[in-house]
Amino acid sequence: MAIRRFYIEPEQLEKQAPRITGRQASHIRKVLRLPEGEAIVLVNGRGSVFNARITGFEQGAVRVAVEGQAEDHSESGLDLTVAQGFLKEAKMDDLLRQATELGITRWIPVITERTVARPDAGRLKKRIERWRSIAVEAIKQCGRSTIPEIYSTYDFSEVLDLAETVDLPVFFWENTDSPIPSPSVTRPGSVLLLLGPEGGFTENEARQAEKRGLRFASLGPRILRAETAAVAACSLAQYLFGDLQKSP
Ligand code: SAM
């Protein structure tokens, strides 16, 4: 059986006796019932992976000894940005969790013409903190070594500026029948997926995106809910240009 992976706070790795704490600790003890001496892998959320061993148990914590750095196979070689039109409350949270599991590199909430949910500065700060903790939970759960970068909100025009720095910027638009390009046509190192909010993009936004050279792509003949569309787009990008076809 594959060695189990756990997240450890980077600060713990600087201590003499590092500890895994919180829900993971009780999962190790009560659900997995891993014994002292068990070999495990630790990830620090910043792209480093370590071979380690369980050395003991305490109230609410599992003590570990780090034995050395390991190779990381949990991160996609594709630099994948999701720029998502701001959705209402929990939808953004769920989407970020799923996109993190699908290996995104960066998450950008975008204010578009049809964005209904526009948080003020104080609320936005709290949302960003919450997204960070959701991303940490998601990397723990799926064994990634890196927490995706979480940006503050971008305006639509700022995303178009960013798109110019990316190999393949894709504008998902239900009114096109062009497919996302295949790897036989392009092998991008970086991809940006731009997806609309619940009400979709306006014609004006589509025109601007076209002028700035974004590639228009369809996700098939059905109109998907925004959160379904983003998950489908991430899966396609990782399948075509990233690591979705590799086993753990
Ligand atoms: N404007 C539409 C409406 O309200 O009927 C639908 C918007 S859809 C819920 C939200 C976003 O998901 C769209 O802006 C687009 O980025 C993406 N999307 C949904 N279905 C799609 C499809 N079939 N092809 C490409 N993009 C799609």
Side-chain angles (χ1 to χ4, degrees), residues 85-93 116-117 127 198:
F86 218 107
L87 306 173
K88 287 186 201 152
E89 285 296 338
K91 288 188 190 170
M92 283 301 251
D93 299 357
V116 182
R127 293 296 298 278
E198 290 92 342

Side-chain angles (χ1 to χ4, degrees), residues 172-174 195-201 217-220 222-224 226 229:
F172 285 95
W173 179 237
E174 55 280 15
L195 295 125
E198 290 92 342
F201 291 118
S218 162
L219 288 166
R222 294 164 293 278
I223 294 188
L224 308 178

Side-chain angles (χ1 to χ4, degrees), residues 65-185:
V66 174
E67 297 181 335
Q69 194 134 3
E71 270 185 48
D72 181 20
H73 303 288
S74 68
E75 291 299 321
S76 173
L78 180 68
D79 183 297
L80 182 59
T81 301
V82 173
Q84 172 65 54
F86 218 107
L87 306 173
K88 287 186 201 152
E89 285 296 338
K91 288 188 190 170
M92 283 301 251
D93 299 357
D94 290 344
L95 191 43
L96 171 62
R97 183 176 297 110
Q98 290 166 298
T100 302
E101 288 172 29
L102 287 165
I104 65 163
T105 315
R106 200 164 297 103
W107 165 256
I108 308 179
V110 187
I111 303 294
T112 69
E113 287 179 34
R114 293 200 180 125
T115 298
V116 182
R118 287 172 197 246
D120 59 38
R123 231 174 122 56
L124 181 62
K125 191 164 171 268
K126 285 205 183 109
R127 293 296 298 278
I128 291 171
E129 280 162 18
R130 177 166 165 71
W131 288 334
R132 199 180 144 75
S133 61
I134 287 173
V136 170
E137 282 305 316
I139 72 150
K140 282 183 194 171
Q141 184 269 321
C142 72
R144 276 187 74 173
S145 65
T146 308
I147 303 167
E149 291 172 51
I150 295 175
Y151 282 28
S152 188
T153 49
Y154 265 36
D155 289 331
F156 187 74
S157 63
E158 291 176 299
V159 179
L160 299 187
D161 292 342
L162 180 71
E164 289 185 346
T165 68
V166 171
D167 297 342
L168 178 63
V170 186
F171 183 84
F172 285 95
W173 179 237
E174 55 280 15
N175 304 322
T176 183
D177 53 13
S178 312
I180 188 166
S182 90
S184 60
V185 176

